[in-house]
Amino acid sequence: MTSGNNGASTPEDDDPFGYLYADGQANGAQPPSGGGYGYPNSVNRVRSVGQRQYGQQQPQSTTTPYGQVPQQQAAGQYGQPSAHYAAPETFPGGGGGATTQSPQPSYSGGGGRGGPNTKGLLIGAIAVVAAVVIGIGIAMAGGDDDKGASGGDASSTPTTSQSSDPTPSNSSSGEAAELPKADAKTMRLEGGTSVASSVKGAQADGGVYVQGFNQVGASVTWSVKVPKDGKYTLYTGYSVPGKDATATLTINGTASSTPVGMDNYAKAPEGDYEKGWTKTYNWVQLNEGANTVKLSCEQGNQCDALLDQAWLVNGWVKS
């Protein structure tokens, strides 16, 4: 079988793309009529290799030949992209007609550049950080207030509320200033008792005391008010002439089983009232408001004593 160049139309050497090359054209190769090889209407767009001149404006046509830059870009320079250009293969059917593409959405970054709004994000981040800092400050301030209210801080200084009518404390110091105190001469005197001031050493106002208590039926009655029900300690100031004495205690009409023990705590010599001034105490239960406290000389008592004062302290104390 003889080989050689038998022309451009022999079946065994038919090159469907021969018309694109100079030697194929020299041998008479022609492009297929009615479009060819998947490119419809391509007969008027075919160019031989090396024939196209870039940068030259092509004649106006309703369709853009294959490989030709659209008219909007023809006036530009080669190598500069066009925002409206797309390859013919991307169009339906592979056609090369000019198509106007929808503009692509852009971000609001400004300056025509795509990208997130970094300025807005930065402002948002700063706002979040500021809110967190403020919240922490408020929480710390609140924590300090709660701590002071609960007394958890040992270094905090407690406050004292002031009142025009102070409430007695449960102190065991024996101080009588918190509750009523009265001179015996101001009490109701009965049974032959009277006031005198010849014996020195009485603590009552003017040194005045109550005498005549050394006989059965003698008594002194004190009307006293207390702020609440409860336990109180009753103190009695007296003097004995170097020997012990006793008296009966009656609270609100009820006689106590425990007598008022007026012992010679001052160690005074017998018959010396001036050196026998001292005090004793009894535990009592009083009601809120008015109460009556009575000291009397009853049968069985040894009542040779001078009465000076009486006062109360809150609670049952010893002193």
Side-chain angles (χ1 to χ4, degrees):
M1 183 175 188
T2 304
S3 60
N5 187 357
N6 295 323
S9 300
T10 57
E12 67 274 11
D13 199 23
D14 186 11
D15 184 358
F17 301 98
Y19 66 92
L20 297 175
Y21 307 97
D23 57 346
Q25 294 175 9
N27 291 327
Q30 298 293 327
S33 61
Y37 308 107
Y39 297 95
N41 302 324
S42 61
V43 63
N44 63 340
R45 297 192 302 274
V46 176
R47 298 289 187 275
S48 300
V49 175
Q51 182 176 355
R52 175 175 298 279
Q53 299 297 321
Y54 292 101
Q56 295 181 358
Q57 185 172 357
Q58 301 298 321
Q60 184 70 29
S61 174
T62 57
T63 59
T64 303
Y66 173 71
Q68 181 176 348
V69 180
Q71 183 176 1
Q72 291 88 340
Q73 190 177 345
Q77 299 297 322
Y78 173 69
Q80 295 181 350
S82 172
H84 302 284
Y85 174 74
E89 291 84 357
T90 62
F91 297 105
T99 304
T100 302
Q101 290 183 298
S102 300
Q104 297 297 322
S106 61
Y107 295 100
S108 58
R113 296 180 300 172
N117 189 350
T118 56
K119 183 177 180 180
L121 293 177
L122 179 59
I123 294 175
I126 293 175
V128 170
V129 172
V132 171
V133 171
I134 293 173
I136 293 174
I138 294 175
M140 292 179 65
D144 292 340
D145 291 342
D146 294 340
K147 183 178 180 181
S150 64
D153 188 355
S155 64
S156 61
T157 302
T159 59
T160 303
S161 60
Q162 299 296 324
S163 173
S164 59
D165 190 10
T167 301
S169 66
N170 290 323
S171 172
S172 60
S173 63
E175 293 294 332
E178 298 175 346
L179 286 172
K181 183 176 183 180
D183 294 341
K185 66 179 182 178
T186 64
M187 300 176 186
R188 186 170 75 242
L189 306 180
E190 296 176 316
T193 55
S194 62
V195 296
S197 59
S198 58
V199 177
K200 305 301 181 182
Q203 299 297 312
D205 183 28
V208 178
Y209 53 87
V210 172
Q211 63 180 3
F213 192 69
N214 58 349
Q215 53 187 330
V216 175
S219 67
V220 294
T221 302
W222 182 24
S223 296
V224 61
K225 291 183 179 180
V226 294
K228 61 181 180 180
D229 295 347
K231 299 176 179 179
Y232 296 86
T233 300
L234 170 67
Y235 284 90
T236 302
Y238 66 93
S239 175
V240 291
K243 60 182 179 179
D244 297 340
T246 60
T248 298
L249 175 64
T250 303
I251 303 295
N252 295 324
T254 301
S256 172
S257 60
T258 303
V260 179
M262 295 183 287
D263 293 350
N264 184 22
Y265 295 120
K267 306 299 182 182
E270 186 175 355
D272 191 350
Y273 285 100
E274 189 171 334
K275 293 182 179 179
W277 293 107
T278 186
K279 66 180 179 179
T280 188
Y281 67 91
N282 290 80
W283 291 343
V284 297
Q285 188 84 22
L286 300 179
N287 302 324
E288 179 182 356
N291 295 266
T292 58
V293 178
K294 179 180 178 181
L295 273 69
S296 62
C297 183
E298 306 293 342
Q299 291 292 342
N301 294 140
Q302 300 296 326
C303 310
D304 192 3
L306 304 178
L307 302 181
D308 186 10
Q309 292 178 315
W311 64 94
L312 294 171
V313 296
N314 203 15
W316 288 356
V317 300
K318 294 180 179 181
S319 62

